[in-house]
């Protein structure tokens, strides 16, 4: 029988739960977060020169699965499929909805400062913030998905079919929400103990190494043949797809399967012990994801990054991206921006409903001739909010 993999046991929205989680975090997930967040920051930093630099474009293709797909599956690991009662819904507002709106406003203000026209982004959040909108919908959909008889099969079918519906696009991050839903479910299953033997057996180690090497080889040899829209999966299928419109879903299926397999390889090779510095910084992966676009945007818009064109300058740019990840993920920065990444919204919400313990009356028959009526108080089960853990 599969055993649940270790996870942080934070009670969402509870200061005591947060404090316990800081002491009892599982370094395996934090190590994976740091690797994924670092790769995301590197590619966003070098994105404006990626097309003209072969090594960066090759790196982009080779590491694609270890960035957004890895973040998506980690989000699934730390998601709850329990009932969406008042407490988990309040947690969603505090940890996802309000930060998304706050950082969207920051992006608009910074863009205006850099010379662009001011605009509020509501339907389509700017740049990297699509992930928060999708994360909100994933948390809402997961309790429904797990009720299906074949969740992975159904969500994969939806992910393939949505490419034929033009109405599902960038608005409300609808396309990517449905396309990545199978990976969210798979991540949730991993958190429940699914594929435990893969992560613990000896035979899977060389297979995982081979998978990582295969990704590097594909990225090095065929990076110009792999189209960006195949990997982003945010637009409908096109008649220009090499397999024609009728068979365009095959490419998406291969991309999703490859992403899931490569993330499993990454997690299998990820050290499960606490690593100096890496594990502590990985705990701030979500903070890194929120903050790094605001730091990169001025350098990109002012044209400073586009001036990089020598190997030494490219290496320097990559090192700067790694340093930026480390700074933004550091505990002092996380504490400093916590009012923005997890703001207090008690003033916005109605008083939390009191938790009532239901009283059940049961009639039991004793060996004695007479019957006795006993009243027993049954403790209510843990709420979904108490089972929910921090976002990656």
């Amino acid at each position: 029988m599969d055993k649940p993999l270790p996870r942080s046991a934070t009670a969402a929205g509870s200061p005591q739960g947060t404090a316990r989680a800081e002491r009892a975090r599982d370094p395996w997930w934090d190590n994976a977060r740091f690797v994924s967040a670092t790769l995301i920051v590197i590619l966003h930093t070098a994105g404006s020169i990626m097309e003209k630099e072969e090594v960066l474009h090759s790196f982009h293709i080779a590491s694609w699965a270890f960035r957004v797909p890895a973040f998506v599956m980690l989000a699934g690991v730390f998601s709850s499929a329990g009932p969406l009662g008042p407490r988990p819904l309040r947690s969603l507002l505090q940890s996802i909805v309000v930060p998304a709106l706050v950082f969207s406003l920051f992006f608009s203000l910074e863009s205006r400062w850099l010379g662009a026209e001011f605009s509020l982004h509501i339907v389509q959040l700017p740049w990297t913030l699509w992930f928060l909108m999708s994360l909100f919908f994933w948390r809402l959909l997961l309790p429904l998905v797990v009720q299906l008889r074949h969740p992975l099969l159904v969500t994969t079918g939806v992910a393939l079919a949505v490419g034929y519906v033009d109405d599902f696009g960038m608005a409300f991050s609808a396309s990517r929400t449905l396309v990545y839903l199978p990976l969210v479910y798979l991540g949730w299953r991993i958190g429940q103990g699914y594929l435990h033997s893969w992560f613990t057996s000896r035979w899977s180690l060389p297979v995982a190494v081979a998978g990582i090497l295969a990704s590097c080889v594909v990225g090095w040899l065929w990076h110009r043949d792999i189209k960006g829209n195949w990997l982003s999966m945010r637009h409908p299928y096109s008649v220009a797809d090499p397999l024609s419109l009728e068979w365009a879903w095959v490419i998406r299926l291969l991309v999703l399967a490859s992403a899931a397999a490569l993330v499993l390889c990454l997690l299998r090779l990820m050290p499960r012990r606490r690593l100096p510095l890496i594990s502590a910084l990985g705990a701030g992966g979500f903070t890194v994801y929120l903050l790094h676009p605001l730091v990169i945007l001025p350098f990109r818009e002012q044209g400073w990054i586009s001036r990089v064109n020598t190997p030494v300058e490219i290496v320097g740019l990559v090192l700067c991206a790694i340093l930026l990840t480390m700074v933004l993920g550091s505990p002092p920065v996380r504490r400093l921006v916590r009012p923005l990444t997890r703001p207090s919204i008690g003033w916005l919400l109605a008083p939390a409903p009191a938790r009532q313990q239901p009283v059940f009356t049961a009639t039991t028959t004793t060996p004695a001739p007479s019957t006795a009526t006993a009243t027993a108080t049954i403790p209510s089960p843990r709420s979904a909010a108490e089972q929910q853990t921090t976002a990656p």
Side-chain angles (χ1 to χ4, degrees):
M1 180 177 179
D2 288 333
K3 299 179 180 178
L5 295 174
R7 341 188 320 172
S8 171
T10 306
S14 167
Q16 295 83 358
T18 302
R20 288 195 301 268
E22 291 298 325
R23 294 192 298 268
R25 297 187 68 95
D26 177 28
W28 185 29
W29 305 118
D30 288 336
N31 297 338
R33 282 193 190 96
F34 178 79
V35 171
S36 181
T38 301
L39 293 174
I40 288 174
V41 175
I42 290 174
L43 266 297
H44 285 164
T45 302
S48 57
I49 62 172
M50 187 175 60
E51 286 297 328
K52 69 177 184 179
E53 299 293 344
E54 290 292 309
V55 65
L56 288 177
H57 195 270
S58 175
F59 179 71
H60 160 63
I61 298 300
S63 64
W64 167 78
F66 313 130
R67 301 195 308 271
V68 170
F71 243 53
V72 170
M73 287 184 63
L74 286 172
V77 169
F78 289 91
S79 293
S80 170
L84 288 170
R87 292 176 182 271
L89 289 175
R90 286 165 179 262
S91 179
L92 290 182
L93 289 174
Q94 182 183 31
S95 61
I96 299 177
V97 176
V98 174
L101 296 177
V102 168
F103 280 88
S104 177
L105 177 60
F106 286 166
F107 186 91
S108 298
L109 293 173
E110 187 174 36
S111 298
R112 179 67 186 90
W113 173 64
L114 293 171
E117 183 180 352
F118 179 82
S119 61
L120 289 175
H121 303 273
I122 303 297
V123 174
Q124 182 178 327
L125 296 184
W127 204 359
T128 61
L129 294 180
W130 70 267
F131 185 86
L132 272 73
M133 184 172 284
S134 288
L135 182 60
F136 174 74
F137 289 118
W138 291 329
R139 294 282 174 86
L140 295 180
L141 290 172
L142 187 58
L144 302 177
V145 169
V146 299
Q147 302 303 317
L148 300 173
R149 184 180 294 273
H150 303 291
L152 190 59
L153 180 63
V154 172
T155 54
T156 302
V158 171
L160 303 181
V162 74
Y164 291 103
V165 183
D166 293 338
D167 292 337
F168 283 90
M170 302 288 286
F172 295 107
S173 193
S175 179
R176 283 186 284 201
T177 296
L178 296 178
V179 166
Y180 283 117
L181 190 55
L183 299 187
V184 175
Y185 172 75
L186 181 58
W188 177 78
R189 288 280 291 162
I190 290 173
Q192 303 302 307
Y194 184 59
L195 297 177
H196 184 268
S197 60
W198 164 262
F199 296 113
T200 56
S201 60
R202 292 185 177 181
W203 65 265
S204 61
L205 190 59
V207 176
V209 172
I212 301 295
L213 292 177
S215 179
C216 294
V217 170
V218 171
W220 180 257
L221 296 179
W222 295 290
H223 61 98
R224 291 296 179 183
D225 298 320
I226 298 177
K227 307 304 179 184
N229 63 312
W230 296 353
L231 303 183
S232 67
M233 297 183 288
R234 59 187 178 185
H235 299 296
Y237 300 137
S238 170
V239 293
D241 287 333
L243 297 183
S244 76
L245 195 59
E246 294 89 357
W247 298 97
W249 61 270
V250 175
I251 296 178
R252 179 166 293 183
L253 178 62
L254 292 175
V255 169
L256 284 172
S258 300
L262 289 173
V263 174
L264 291 176
C265 292
L266 175 69
L267 293 176
R268 179 61 182 91
L269 297 178
M270 194 61 55
R272 305 184 74 155
R273 66 184 184 278
R274 184 171 183 81
L275 301 178
L277 191 62
I278 300 300
S279 300
L281 296 176
F286 194 62
T287 302
V288 173
Y289 190 87
L290 286 174
L291 292 180
H292 80 273
L294 299 177
V295 179
I296 295 172
L297 187 62
F299 295 95
R300 189 188 72 177
E301 295 303 312
Q302 296 297 327
W304 295 344
I305 295 178
S306 61
R307 298 173 188 172
V308 174
N309 56 15
T310 67
V312 174
E313 291 173 343
I314 292 175
V315 172
L317 185 65
V318 171
L319 292 177
C320 287
I322 296 174
L323 179 61
L324 176 62
T325 305
M326 298 174 71
V327 171
L328 297 181
S330 63
V333 172
R334 282 160 32 208
R335 287 193 295 267
L336 181 65
V337 301
R338 185 171 177 80
L340 301 176
T341 58
R342 195 173 180 87
S344 176
I345 59 172
W347 57 271
L348 183 64
L349 303 175
R355 296 179 59 190
Q356 298 181 352
Q357 295 189 352
V359 177
F360 298 95
T361 301
T363 302
T364 59
T365 303
T366 63
S370 61
T371 59
T373 302
T375 301
T377 301
I378 310 298
S380 61
R382 295 176 62 204
S383 67
E386 291 175 327
Q387 300 172 21
Q388 188 176 9
T389 57
T390 53

